[in-house]
Amino acid sequence: MTDAARSEPPAHTKVTREEWLQAALDTLIEDGVDRVKILNLATRLQVSRSSFYWYFKDRRELLDTLLDHWRQTNTRAIAEQAALPSQTITEGIIHVFRCWVDERLFDPRLDFAIREWARRSSRVRQILDAADDERVRVIAGLFERHGFEPTEAFVRARVLYFMQIGYYALDLGESLPQRQALARHYLKCFSGQDPRPEELTEFFDWTERAVPGG
């Protein structure tokens, strides 16, 4: 089937491309990549698997789309937050902290699912390594913009980023109030500088809006 033919599914098609993709994402997160199969997804969506081919050439194209979605959400979110203007390094780190608070910016379950997938696929391992390198690089750039020399910026970025990845891997499950109570100390640890009180106040106000009910 040509790309042109696949671009316009018949009117009676029950599900959209986005619904197929969401079903694949949910399955990847809940059950792992081995369960992301066309028949399984069709069963989940309660449709014929034939409609899958209006949107994707084959399973490989779907898997590549999942990887691209992950890059365009989780990795992009870190890059965008690290690039925001900041008057101090602690304010800049707080911008990155938003990714760890708001799962609409950074989905830790999806990140963990990709890491599990990478254990079984050398191709995905290379993609994951490249994403980790990019994330560290953009955070290191934040430190450099605030006067840290490149090697120190790189090391501090690695400590900040990989600490958070380890936090997810261990599934510590701290509540929002617990994280808020430790925020000043983490900022001092990561930057060597105390945050300004107004920076913390603004961040706490932001987290309350981003995560209603904590």
Side-chain angles (χ1 to χ4, degrees), residues 179-181 183 199-209:
R179 284 183 281 175
Q180 288 177 336
E199 291 173 347
L200 288 174
T201 298
E202 182 178 349
F203 178 51
F204 294 161
D205 288 345
W206 183 91
T207 60
E208 293 293 344
R209 294 193 302 270

Side-chain angles (χ1 to χ4, degrees), residues 17-18 21-22 24-26 28-29 56 61-77 103-107 110-111 114 117 127 135:
R17 183 180 187 276
E18 290 69 29
L21 180 58
Q22 188 60 54
L25 285 167
D26 291 342
L28 174 65
I29 291 169
F56 302 98
E61 183 178 335
L62 172 63
L63 295 180
D64 287 344
T65 303
L66 292 178
L67 288 169
D68 187 61
H69 172 83
W70 165 70
R71 286 190 295 254
Q72 293 300 318
T73 52
N74 282 13
T75 298
R76 176 189 286 181
E103 293 186 5
R104 294 170 298 181
L105 294 175
F106 183 96
D107 185 341
L110 175 58
D111 223 62
I114 297 294
W117 182 2
I127 292 170
R135 295 170 185 185

Side-chain angles (χ1 to χ4, degrees), residues 102 121 182:
D102 189 347
S121 167
L182 296 173

Side-chain angles (χ1 to χ4, degrees), residues 58-128:
D58 50 27
R59 180 175 183 264
R60 174 62 179 265
E61 183 178 335
L62 172 63
L63 295 180
D64 287 344
T65 303
L66 292 178
L67 288 169
D68 187 61
H69 172 83
W70 165 70
R71 286 190 295 254
Q72 293 300 318
T73 52
N74 282 13
T75 298
R76 176 189 286 181
I78 294 173
E80 289 179 345
Q81 292 300 317
L84 289 174
S86 52
Q87 295 183 359
T88 66
I89 183 57
T90 49
E91 181 184 15
I93 294 173
I94 283 173
H95 290 158
V96 176
F97 276 7
R98 293 177 180 178
C99 296
W100 317 147
V101 172
D102 189 347
E103 293 186 5
R104 294 170 298 181
L105 294 175
F106 183 96
D107 185 341
R109 297 190 307 149
L110 175 58
D111 223 62
F112 186 78
I114 297 294
R115 292 180 189 282
E116 285 296 305
W117 182 2
R119 295 177 186 272
R120 308 180 185 188
S121 167
S122 59
R123 182 179 74 94
V124 176
R125 178 79 249 182
Q126 291 177 339
I127 292 170
L128 174 62

Side-chain angles (χ1 to χ4, degrees), residues 23-44 59 62-63 66 120:
L25 285 167
D26 291 342
T27 301
L28 174 65
I29 291 169
E30 295 166 9
D31 303 315
V33 68
D34 288 346
R35 295 291 297 170
V36 182
K37 296 181 178 179
I38 299 169
L39 180 59
N40 292 340
L41 300 179
T43 300
R44 183 174 189 137
R59 180 175 183 264
L62 172 63
L63 295 180
L66 292 178
R120 308 180 185 188

